[in-house]
Amino acid sequence: MGVPSREKFIIGNWKMHKTIEEAVSFVAELVPLVQDCHDQVYLAVPFTAIHPAAEKAKGSRVIIGAQNMNDASEGAFTGEIAARMLIDAGAQFVILGHSERRHYFHETSEFINRKVKKAIKEGLQAIVCVGETSAEHEAGKSQEVVKEQLTATLAGLDERGMHQVMISYEPVWAIGTGDTATPEIAEEMHQFCRKVLAEVVNEAAAEFTQILYGGSVRPENAKQLMEQTDIDGLLVGGASLSLESFVKIVNYCTQKETIS
Ligand code: PGA
C-alpha cells in the first residue's frame, strides 16, 4: 500500500505578538500572496486579534485560530477563555499543549487531554503539541517522553475524534533556538509518533492524522523538512512574524516546482 496523500498544513503561531492593527494588515497582505499555494495556511493569533483577523481572511485560503483555551464551557475562571467564545470570534482551530504552556503555566497532559476533548466536542480543530526537552533528548529519552505525552493527551479519543486533531512534534530544544532538528531526526520521530497513534487510537488514525514539525522552521529549511514522508506540515513561531519569511515558507511548494 502506498503512502496516503495527507493534506499539508503550514501554521503560523504568533505567540504574544501583534496588535489588532498589525494583525489585520498582515492578513490583508498575506491573502493574495498565498492564493496559489497547495497547502492549508493557518494563523494562530492572540485572542484580541481573532475576530478582526478572521473577518479579513474570510473567503480566502487563510484560516484563523487560537493558541490556547480552557476545558470548561463557562464559569468563574478569571482570565480564561472557552471554546465557544473562540468559535464566536471566528477561530476554526486551537493550539493545545504547546511546550510554553506546559513549562510556564504548568499545564499537565491530563489538563490538555480535557481541552482536546472539549475542542473536538465544540467543533474546533485541535493542534496538539508534544516534544521532549533538551535534557530528555540528551538522556536518550525522546521517544519515551513523546509516547507518554501522546498517550495521555489523546486518552479516550476514537478514530472519529481524531479527524479533528493534528499532532505537532516540537522538540523543546529546537523552539526559538535556531537549532532545528535535522530532517532525519524529525522524520524518525514522526514515524515513531505514527506508531504510537496506532497503539493509542488505531491504524487508520495513524495513517490519516497530520503530524507537523515545529522548532526553528525557517525559509531555508522548510522545503527539506516538508520532503520527509511523515512530515505533513510545519508549525512556525518566530519566522511567522515577518510576512516575508512566512510567505517564503508557505510557498516552498511553488519554489519546488520552479526549481524542478
Ligand atoms: P519557533 O517556535 O519557530 O520560533 O522555534 C515554534 C513554536 O513554538 O511553535
Side-chain angles (χ1 to χ4, degrees), residues 120 156-165 201-202 204-205 208-209:
I120 294 174
L157 294 196
D158 59 10
E159 183 184 326
R160 193 156 153 250
M162 285 303 288
H163 281 288
Q164 274 170 258
V165 174
V201 189
N202 63 21
F208 70 65
T209 302

Side-chain angles (χ1 to χ4, degrees), residues 13 15 98 100 170 174-176 215-218 235-238:
N13 173 16
K15 308 189 180 184
H98 190 279
E100 286 150 16
E170 305 208 298
I175 296 178
S216 295
V217 172
R218 299 280 175 271
L235 186 53
V236 188

Side-chain angles (χ1 to χ4, degrees), residues 57-76:
K58 233 178 215 165
S60 80
R61 298 192 59 81
V62 180
I63 301 292
I64 302 297
Q67 303 169 16
N68 183 32
M69 57 166 243
N70 191 271
D71 65 314
S73 297
E74 61 182 0

Side-chain angles (χ1 to χ4, degrees), residues 142-167:
S142 306
Q143 296 198 348
E144 189 186 317
V145 169
V146 164
K147 183 175 181 169
E148 243 172 55
Q149 291 177 345
L150 279 174
T151 309
T153 51
L154 302 179
L157 294 196
D158 59 10
E159 183 184 326
R160 193 156 153 250
M162 285 303 288
H163 281 288
Q164 274 170 258
V165 174
M166 279 188 248
I167 305 298

